[in-house]
């Protein structure tokens, strides 16, 4: 699922890049032109827009599967390359969310770039100035075009280590070696997955049965009008809940990074604590419970009750 979706994202992104203008005065209107004037432009744009949500839905399920089967202890190289893929995907998704330069795109970019103020000169290097402006959009467009190509290199390493050491036992009884040939067994499963994925993309693209994008992003940027509640896309809400739960901006940013980088230490935990590998059901239940709860809290207005529960889930 992830492989098909990433390929679809790259192909549709190449098409959209032919018609997109990385300028603050024309970016929003170039997206509107793609939707209204370019042949099948609306289809490509909505496939690309909803494809990011599909990718993160699949990758969260993929991480949960790895937690359940203990892949981090069986094959650390695959786990580490996978977490690097996850981080690169998050950067690509954030940069891509800024490019349409709608109202929520601009204010979301302003919030996230200001988080980096603890690092000297990093905002000027990324934004090309002290705030989000024309050089920011040009640089983000270049990064959004180059990083998916770097992502493909990470995917090759990920697959290389997977085929080098093999996957964990799908029955979860023990760590075994799967020697099933790729063709026809694995290929037929992947081909079947493609026929499941295409109807899902078609339903979302042409009927929009899930509202992934925030409605404020359908409006052009107004520097004098801040949205009532600045929220990122749903796949960033769990990290946004961490930022809103702490009064210090720098402390929230460091804690958010620690939630990502602690995933690299899972194989060390499995070697040091025998009980860490003995409770896969606890891993999967705690992952889903804390993840979906923090998504719900991240989407709420920062009131005292939600901040209090956010701190509880951070500890959990």
């Amino acid at each position: 699922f992830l492989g098909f979706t990433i390929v679809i994202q790259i192909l549709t992104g190449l098409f959209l890049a032919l018609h997109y203008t990385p300028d603050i005065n024309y970016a929003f209107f170039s997206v509107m032109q793609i939707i209204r004037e370019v042949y099948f432009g609306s289809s490509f744009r909505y496939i690309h827009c909803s494809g990011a949500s599909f990718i993160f839905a699949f990758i969260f399920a993929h991480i949960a599967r790895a937690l359940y089967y203990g892949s981090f202890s069986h094959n650390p190289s695959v786990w580490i390359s996978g977490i690097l893929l996850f981080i690169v995907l998050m950067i690509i998704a954030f940069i891509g969310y800024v490019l349409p330069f709608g109202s929520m795109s601009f204010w979301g970019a302003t919030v996230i770039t200001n988080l980096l103020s603890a690092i000297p000169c990093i905002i000027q290097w990324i934004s090309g100035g002290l705030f989000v402006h024309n050089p920011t959009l040009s640089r983000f467009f270049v990064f959004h075009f180059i990083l998916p190509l770097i992502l493909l290199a990470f995917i090759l390493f990920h697959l290389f280590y997977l085929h080098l050491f093999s996957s964990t036992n799908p029955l979860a009884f023990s760590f075994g070696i799967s020697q099933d040939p790729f063709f026809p067994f694995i290929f037929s499963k992947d081909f079947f997955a493609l026929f499941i994925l295409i109807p899902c993309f078609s339903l979302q693209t042409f009927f929009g049965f899930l509202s992934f994008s925030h409605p404020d992003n359908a409006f052009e940027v107004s520097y004098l009008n801040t949205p009532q509640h600045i929220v990122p896309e749903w796949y960033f809400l769990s990290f946004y809940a961490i930022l809103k739960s702490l009064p210090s901006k720098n402390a929230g940013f460091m804690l958010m990074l620690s939630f990502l980088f602690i995933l690299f230490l899972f194989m060390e935990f499995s070697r040091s604590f025998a009980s860490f590998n003995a409770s896969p059901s606890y891993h999967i239940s705690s992952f889903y419970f804390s993840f979906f709860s923090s998504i719900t809290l991240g989407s709420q207005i920062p009131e005292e009750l939600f901040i209090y529960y956010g701190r509880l889930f951070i500890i959990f």
Side-chain angles (χ1 to χ4, degrees):
F1 276 124
L2 272 172
F4 285 134
T5 314
I6 289 173
V7 169
I8 289 171
Q9 285 294 95
I10 291 175
L11 294 177
T12 54
L14 288 172
F15 175 82
L16 294 173
L18 298 174
H19 300 275
Y20 176 75
T21 305
D23 185 278
I24 60 169
N25 297 314
Y26 303 107
F28 183 80
F29 297 105
S30 68
V31 175
M32 291 298 106
Q33 186 203 18
I34 291 172
I35 295 173
R36 297 172 181 173
E37 302 294 336
V38 177
Y39 280 117
F40 301 106
S42 60
S43 299
F44 283 108
R45 194 260 176 174
Y46 288 121
I47 287 172
H48 196 74
C49 181
S50 57
S53 295
F54 278 109
I55 283 179
F56 279 94
F58 296 146
I59 204 168
F60 289 139
H62 194 48
I63 291 174
R65 179 262 177 208
L67 288 173
Y68 184 79
Y69 289 123
S71 302
F72 46 83
S73 58
H74 170 71
N75 197 342
S77 300
V78 175
W79 175 260
I80 291 174
S81 61
I83 299 304
L84 287 173
L85 276 169
F86 179 46
I87 294 173
V88 174
L89 276 170
M90 289 178 66
I91 296 172
I92 294 172
F94 164 70
I95 293 173
Y97 186 62
V98 177
L99 292 182
F101 220 60
S103 179
M104 196 61 70
S105 296
F106 170 76
W107 291 105
T110 302
V111 169
I112 299 303
T113 51
N114 284 334
L115 287 177
L116 304 174
S117 59
I119 306 173
C121 303
I122 191 70
I123 294 180
Q124 290 87 333
W125 185 83
I126 292 177
S127 301
L130 297 174
F131 56 94
V132 177
H133 200 55
N134 212 32
T136 313
L137 206 58
S138 301
R139 294 176 188 202
F140 277 17
F141 179 63
V142 172
F143 292 150
H144 193 64
F145 197 91
I146 293 175
L147 283 177
L149 305 179
I150 299 175
L151 183 78
L152 290 178
F154 278 113
I155 292 174
L156 291 178
F157 280 112
H158 192 63
L159 295 175
F160 169 75
Y161 285 122
L162 176 67
H163 287 279
L164 183 65
F165 298 107
S166 84
S167 179
T168 47
N169 190 343
L171 298 178
F173 294 136
S174 62
F175 291 128
I177 304 297
S178 176
Q179 297 293 346
D180 291 334
F182 179 78
F183 189 87
F185 299 108
I186 309 300
F187 178 79
S188 59
K189 288 177 64 179
D190 289 347
F191 199 66
F192 177 69
L194 179 63
F195 278 96
I196 296 176
L197 190 63
I198 289 175
C200 292
F201 262 104
S202 301
L203 285 172
Q204 178 60 29
T205 302
F206 299 113
F207 297 99
F209 67 101
L210 292 175
S211 180
F212 289 133
S213 184
H214 198 281
D216 283 353
N217 214 36
F219 298 106
E220 189 186 358
V221 172
S222 174
Y223 296 98
L224 303 177
N225 184 18
T226 308
Q228 182 183 11
H229 185 205
I230 300 174
V231 289
E233 290 285 85
W234 69 269
Y235 38 81
F236 291 141
L237 286 175
S238 55
F239 300 102
Y240 194 55
I242 299 172
L243 292 175
K244 290 195 295 187
S245 300
L246 297 180
S248 172
K249 176 178 69 175
N250 294 334
F253 181 60
M254 296 302 293
L255 187 61
M256 185 184 71
L257 289 181
S258 68
F259 268 67
L260 277 175
F261 290 112
I262 201 172
L263 295 173
F264 290 107
L265 303 177
F266 267 43
M267 67 286 297
E268 297 298 329
F269 295 155
S270 65
R271 292 170 188 156
S272 304
F273 306 104
S275 60
F276 198 79
N277 291 326
S279 54
S281 299
Y282 171 76
H283 292 164
I284 197 77
S285 60
S286 61
F287 175 82
Y288 277 123
F289 179 66
S290 58
F291 175 70
F292 287 115
S293 301
S294 57
I295 281 182
T296 305
L297 292 171
S299 62
Q300 304 300 321
I301 293 176
E303 297 177 346
E304 188 64 32
L305 179 66
F306 300 125
I307 292 174
Y308 171 75
Y309 281 113
R311 291 169 182 169
L312 285 181
F313 280 110
I314 288 174
I315 297 171
F316 179 74

